[in-house]
Amino acid sequence: MTKKEKIKNTFLDILYPRHCPVCHDIPVPGTQKICSGCRERLRPITGPRCYKCSKPLNNTEQEYCSDCSRRTHLFEQGIGIFPYSTLLQQSLFKLKYGKRQEYGLFYGELAAVYAEEYIRRWKIDCIVSIPLHRKRLEKRGYNQAELIAEALGEKVNIPVKKKILKRKINTEPQKDLNPEERRKNIRGAFTAGEGIRGEKILLIDDIYTTGTTIDEAARALKKAGAEKVYFLVIAIGSEP
């Protein structure tokens, strides 16, 4: 960055100071993208995880969470960066519904820091975000998962394929449904195009709860010829 660009960015920070993407307060202009208080509170998951979906486990001797031990998922493996908490719930809500697109950039860059080892191990060929239906995209103006995917792809130097996966059914919001209702609601919602035959794909979404959305997207991608499907989410739930 040139001296002229630095001066311009500092001036813009003073006029339009960035909000901390976690607590939404205004950090000191010209410093990090997250305030010091939230930097201490926003901690990635550590300790035992489910081998399949990466949910944090209470028992170090467990290999799978209760959900993955009784269900067959269509994805190979996944990684959730942070535990789903009230702190993240508010932040991701702002990203999805509060027009804070810059939060997507922040979380995509963080995902690259914490998950690059997994991405290299899985030998990912391309990144695909969980799509919104056309009507919902028109209403919201952007897809938060795609923003995260773009920032992540740029950091790890892996292409993002934006038009491969489409949501053909405008489903009800999953958050208001129980697990069985979620599966029925999302079944057949996605379709995938050509250009992914034999590829290992990384699916991106903001939150993982039961995995039904990821499963259904993986179904469509594999039907279109994908060899393997993995996923990455910013926040993931815990064992009940």
Side-chain angles (χ1 to χ4, degrees), residues 8 35 45-46 60 67 80 86 92 101 114 127 185 195:
K8 179 182 177 182
C35 72
I45 296 170
T46 57
T60 57
D67 178 62
T86 302
L92 293 176
Q101 292 100 314
Y114 290 120
I127 297 172
N185 182 53

Side-chain angles (χ1 to χ4, degrees), residues 2-16:
T2 66
K3 184 177 180 181
K4 185 177 180 180
E5 289 173 330
K6 288 181 180 178
I7 294 173
K8 179 182 177 182
N9 287 343
T10 301
F11 181 67
L12 289 174
D13 281 343
I14 294 170
L15 286 180
Y16 310 104

Side-chain angles (χ1 to χ4, degrees), residues 42-95:
L42 190 64
R43 297 299 181 100
I45 296 170
T46 57
R49 291 172 174 259
C50 173
Y51 178 77
K52 189 74 172 179
C53 74
S54 91
K55 278 185 179 179
L57 300 174
N58 299 319
N59 188 343
T60 57
E61 296 181 358
Q62 279 182 264
E63 290 187 356
Y64 298 94
C65 68
S66 57
D67 178 62
C68 291
S69 63
R70 66 173 182 265
R71 286 181 57 197
T72 300
H73 288 291
L74 297 175
F75 57 81
E76 271 59 45
Q77 274 187 305
I79 178 68
I81 308 301
F82 301 103
Y84 190 49
S85 61
T86 302
L87 186 71
L88 266 180
Q89 182 181 18
Q90 295 170 352
S91 177
L92 293 176
F93 184 87
K94 288 279 188 180
L95 167 61

Side-chain angles (χ1 to χ4, degrees), residues 42-194:
L42 190 64
R43 297 299 181 100
I45 296 170
T46 57
R49 291 172 174 259
C50 173
Y51 178 77
K52 189 74 172 179
C53 74
S54 91
K55 278 185 179 179
L57 300 174
N58 299 319
N59 188 343
T60 57
E61 296 181 358
Q62 279 182 264
E63 290 187 356
Y64 298 94
C65 68
S66 57
D67 178 62
C68 291
S69 63
R70 66 173 182 265
R71 286 181 57 197
T72 300
H73 288 291
L74 297 175
F75 57 81
E76 271 59 45
Q77 274 187 305
I79 178 68
I81 308 301
F82 301 103
Y84 190 49
S85 61
T86 302
L87 186 71
L88 266 180
Q89 182 181 18
Q90 295 170 352
S91 177
L92 293 176
F93 184 87
K94 288 279 188 180
L95 167 61
K96 292 173 78 166
Y97 306 112
K99 303 296 183 183
R100 306 304 309 197
Q101 292 100 314
E102 68 273 21
Y103 291 9
L105 172 64
F106 170 77
Y107 284 117
E109 291 178 348
L110 265 189
V113 172
Y114 290 120
E116 185 169 9
E117 181 181 342
Y118 288 87
I119 294 168
R120 301 305 178 198
R121 184 192 310 160
W122 294 335
K123 299 180 180 179
I124 297 300
D125 296 304
C126 69
I127 297 172
V128 174
S129 59
I130 294 292
L132 295 176
H133 187 267
R134 173 181 51 82
K135 290 183 179 179
R136 196 167 296 175
L137 182 61
E138 289 174 355
K139 182 178 181 180
R140 191 177 301 175
Y142 60 93
N143 176 4
Q144 77 283 350
E146 187 174 289
L147 296 175
I148 295 168
E150 288 176 341
L152 172 64
E154 184 174 343
K155 284 293 182 182
V156 297
N157 196 31
I158 294 176
V160 178
K161 295 189 176 181
K162 299 181 182 180
K163 297 182 179 180
I164 289 295
L165 188 64
K166 294 183 179 180
R167 189 183 293 248
K168 61 182 180 180
I169 300 174
N170 192 14
T171 56
E172 294 295 322
Q174 293 281 82
K175 62 183 177 65
D176 299 323
L177 307 176
N178 64 40
E180 182 58 31
E181 290 171 335
R182 288 178 183 225
R183 285 191 284 272
K184 290 180 179 179
N185 182 53
I186 204 70
R187 190 64 186 263
F190 300 107
T191 183
E194 300 177 352

